[in-house]
Amino acid sequence: MAQTIGARIARIARRENGNHACAHGGYFSSCVNNDPHEEWCADFARWVWSQARVLYMDELTPGAGSFGEYGRKHGTGPHKKPRVGDAVIFNYDRGSYAAHVAIVVRVFPGGDIASIGGNEVTGHLQTSYVHRDVYSGETKFSPYWNYSISGYVSPVEDDMPYTQKQILKLVKQGVAAELSAGGTKDEILALVKQGVAAELSAGGTKDEILALVKQGVAAELNAGGTGIDGKLDTLLKRVPEPPPPAPPAADRTGMAPAAAPGADGAAPPA
């Protein structure tokens, strides 16, 4: 059974725990020339979502507040109930700014959550890394972070429960089963033949088709400015003149046979 998108996101985030900003060459723009150059918590969070094939990733930026904007645009947050795979945002101003963002990887029965986020622990770009934290998931001031938890933003996913590869396989299996079913191909051919025969035998069908063709040709030939006459003249001019007729063959005496009465070159009958 295919993993849910939340499970995929959590699995991907866990694999990155302990990595620095330049892992994999950087999480989007977290690293340039092997050197961290910006606050990269949002870079990490959007990288994880993109690896899980979340939709509309082009709307997310290196700014943590872009997750809040994403949720408001698509109706997926910020909300108060955390789910695995959500982005948790801190000190969000309901606009474009948030102080931090991380990925929820577990929700405990008592209300605590575990999150994994980038650019954590040290507060310095050169030494900060991806870290797992466990704390209360209530949307209020968090003494663990010294920030307020503003809410959770869920990813937008495709509602289709199957991957493209699985869909193609199902279609092929269905078509093969349908074609191999007893009488299926014969039934389809019979229906097509019946439909064509019924159409051609319908009263006036063939006559109507011929009439329409004739009308169309006549209208085209009679239409002013079609240039058909001119084209015909051009074609005729390109046809070479026929060669003159060969002289009559001589007989064995070397004399040409007399022209038949009434033929060209002979005297007309009296």
Side-chain angles (χ1 to χ4, degrees), residues 137-152:
E138 289 187 76
T139 52
K140 62 179 185 179
F141 179 77
S142 172
Y144 182 90
W145 290 99
N146 286 324
Y147 289 148
S148 291
I149 297 176
S150 302
Y152 302 90

Side-chain angles (χ1 to χ4, degrees), residues 163-177:
T163 65
Q164 184 179 21
K165 186 176 181 180
Q166 289 171 324
I167 292 170
L168 288 172
K169 184 177 179 180
L170 289 170
V171 170
K172 288 178 181 178
Q173 290 173 349
V175 171

Side-chain angles (χ1 to χ4, degrees), residues 3 8 17 42 51 56 58 61 75 97 117 123 127 130 137 139-140 144 170 173 182 187 216 218 225 236 269-270:
Q3 278 188 320
R8 290 201 308 270
N17 196 28
Q51 295 298 301
Y56 310 118
D58 59 326
T61 74
Y97 173 80
T127 57
V130 178
T139 52
K140 62 179 185 179
Y144 182 90
L170 289 170
Q173 290 173 349
E187 290 171 3
L236 289 172

Side-chain angles (χ1 to χ4, degrees), residues 100-127:
H100 187 58
V101 60
I103 300 295
V104 178
V105 296
R106 187 171 179 183
V107 178
F108 297 94
D112 284 357
I113 64 171
S115 71
I116 293 179
N119 195 34
E120 292 187 0
V121 184
T122 69
H124 299 285
L125 295 182
Q126 302 295 332
T127 57

Side-chain angles (χ1 to χ4, degrees), residues 1 15 40 46 50-51 70 77 96 102-103 110 141 152 168 190 212 217 236 250 258 263:
M1 184 176 179
R15 288 203 306 252
W40 54 280
R46 67 191 180 114
S50 71
Q51 295 298 301
Y70 177 100
S96 60
I103 300 295
F141 179 77
Y152 302 90
L168 288 172
L212 287 171
V217 171
L236 289 172

Side-chain angles (χ1 to χ4, degrees), residues 192-218:
V192 171
K193 290 178 180 178
Q194 290 172 10
V196 172
E199 181 64 21
L200 289 176
S201 63
T205 299
K206 288 184 283 188
D207 292 339
E208 290 171 1
I209 293 172
L210 288 172
L212 287 171
V213 171
K214 290 178 181 178
Q215 291 172 9
V217 171

